Amino acid sequence: MIRFLILIGYTTLMMFLQVSGRLNQYINVHYRYLAIISMALSFILAIVQLILWNKEEDKESTEHHHHDEHDHGLDKPYQRGIAYLLLALPLMVGFLFPTVSLDTSIVEAKGFNFPLSKESVGDPDVETQYLKPDTSIYFDKTDYDKQMKQALSHYIKDDHVKVTEENYLEVMELIYNYPSEFIGKTITYKGFAFNAAQKEQSDLFVFRFGIIHCVADSGVFGLLTKMPDGQTFENNEWLELTGTIHSGYYAPFKREIPMVDVTKVTSIEEPKNQYVYRSF
């Protein structure tokens, strides 16, 4: 019976995450079908467990006490208790813990650094990424270069790069990989303001939180901006900007990075879903 309840719990959790819209804060929305499959499988397995439990009950009522509970070597009650507790743990986390909305306080808490090498990409256990979405870790070098060149061909023919929710991470990765191809082009994109204070100067980045595959490789991605007439914005203020891409030396990272000379900027409503996802 406990197994049935746990499996039904998983089915309900998957359904709850999808209906409430919280699933898209854990995984790339393009992988939603995997959650649907796991929901269906949990439900089927729960029904199987219910049938087996009913059969066992019938058997016990005819044979009185036949202790045939050999749960794959988990003979002792405390062993079964531990196993059930471990299985139930994700359910408790999923249902009881609130989903944290990301904001600039997370960027401030972690700080951010441009990945100069594999070792400097955030926390080694969780591939937190900053500024540039890096999908090279999922491909061998030849395939990755081929994919990037193919994606680049869609954008280099236009002087105006329009960034959407769908292509946000792809465009940002291309700009950081091939800055010279984008210098002089106009870009329009949306994001939230983040003021990075470094010693004397304060620099304004405009970011989006992005998920490449799942929350483990999520990060904060965007570009350094130079606002017109020294305009300033509060952290977490959502903006839509248009400007020209150029490259400039950024002292805190001791390197050249792509930047946007903003010509037009407007405050916008915060989007319902703050995340963007990588399309493959």
Side-chain angles (χ1 to χ4, degrees):
M1 187 61 179
I2 297 171
R3 287 183 222 167
F4 165 72
L5 292 173
I6 288 171
L7 286 161
I8 276 293
Y10 274 103
T11 309
T12 314
L13 177 62
M14 287 300 165
M15 204 180 287
F16 165 67
L17 289 175
Q18 290 187 70
V19 172
S20 66
R22 280 168 57 174
L23 185 71
N24 60 23
Q25 296 182 28
Y26 296 109
I27 63 165
N28 187 326
V29 288
H30 300 104
Y31 301 150
R32 187 173 278 139
Y33 69 93
L34 293 172
I36 293 165
I37 290 167
S38 67
M39 185 173 76
L41 285 174
S42 300
F43 183 70
I44 292 162
L45 290 169
I47 298 302
V48 168
Q49 285 300 330
L50 189 63
I51 292 163
L52 290 174
W53 179 70
N54 273 321
K55 277 188 177 169
E56 215 170 87
E57 286 286 296
D58 293 343
K59 205 163 115 185
E60 279 188 12
S61 61
T62 52
E63 297 177 15
H64 288 303
H65 55 265
H66 241 295
H67 264 305
D68 230 6
E69 180 99 56
H70 289 298
D71 279 332
H72 305 292
L74 300 177
D75 301 332
K76 298 188 177 73
Y78 80 88
Q79 290 176 321
R80 286 202 296 279
I82 291 166
Y84 290 140
L85 184 68
L86 289 172
L87 285 169
L89 201 59
L91 296 177
M92 291 188 269
V93 172
F95 283 118
L96 304 176
F97 286 71
T99 311
V100 178
S101 282
L102 299 182
D103 63 16
T104 51
S105 61
I106 291 185
V107 188
E108 282 164 350
K110 283 180 169 291
F112 70 91
N113 41 44
F114 192 78
L116 302 171
S117 65
K118 268 217 168 68
E119 293 72 41
S120 69
V121 184
D123 181 337
D125 299 325
V126 177
E127 290 290 318
T128 310
Q129 299 191 7
Y130 301 99
L131 292 188
K132 170 198 165 184
D134 186 9
T135 58
S136 64
I137 50 179
Y138 304 110
F139 304 95
D140 69 49
K141 188 161 174 21
T142 316
D143 284 346
Y144 177 69
D145 290 346
K146 195 171 140 192
Q147 271 208 340
M148 284 284 105
K149 289 264 163 45
Q150 198 179 345
L152 185 64
S153 66
H154 300 309
Y155 301 102
I156 50 173
K157 52 183 184 287
D158 295 322
D159 286 337
H160 193 160
V161 182
K162 290 187 179 68
V163 182
T164 63
E165 303 240 323
E166 274 298 306
N167 71 9
Y168 187 98
L169 294 181
E170 180 177 74
V171 171
M172 290 300 164
E173 188 166 8
L174 288 168
I175 290 171
Y176 280 103
N177 276 351
Y178 307 101
S180 59
E181 298 282 2
F182 287 91
I183 287 171
K185 288 187 186 296
T186 304
I187 187 171
T188 300
Y189 80 100
K190 296 173 184 172
F192 62 84
F194 173 66
N195 292 283
Q198 301 278 350
K199 298 188 179 102
E200 310 293 289
Q201 67 186 81
S202 180
D203 297 295
L204 183 73
F205 287 82
V206 176
F207 284 143
R208 288 290 299 252
F209 288 106
I211 290 180
I212 293 173
H213 285 298
C214 64
V215 78
D217 58 20
S218 62
V220 58
F221 308 110
L223 296 163
L224 176 59
T225 65
K226 293 278 179 258
M227 291 293 170
D229 314 321
Q231 272 183 276
T232 57
F233 297 95
E234 295 289 310
N235 277 359
N236 296 316
E237 198 173 331
W238 280 81
L239 311 168
E240 179 168 20
L241 60 85
T242 298
T244 311
I245 299 169
H246 72 106
S247 191
Y249 183 75
Y250 188 57
F253 298 161
K254 298 183 176 60
R255 60 169 294 160
E256 293 260 325
I257 64 167
M259 303 176 179
V260 183
D261 274 330
V262 180
T263 49
K264 184 183 166 208
V265 58
T266 50
S267 288
I268 56 165
E269 282 287 299
E270 176 188 306
K272 208 164 82 170
N273 184 3
Q274 293 189 21
Y275 292 78
V276 283
Y277 308 90
R278 186 68 160 90
S279 299
F280 288 100

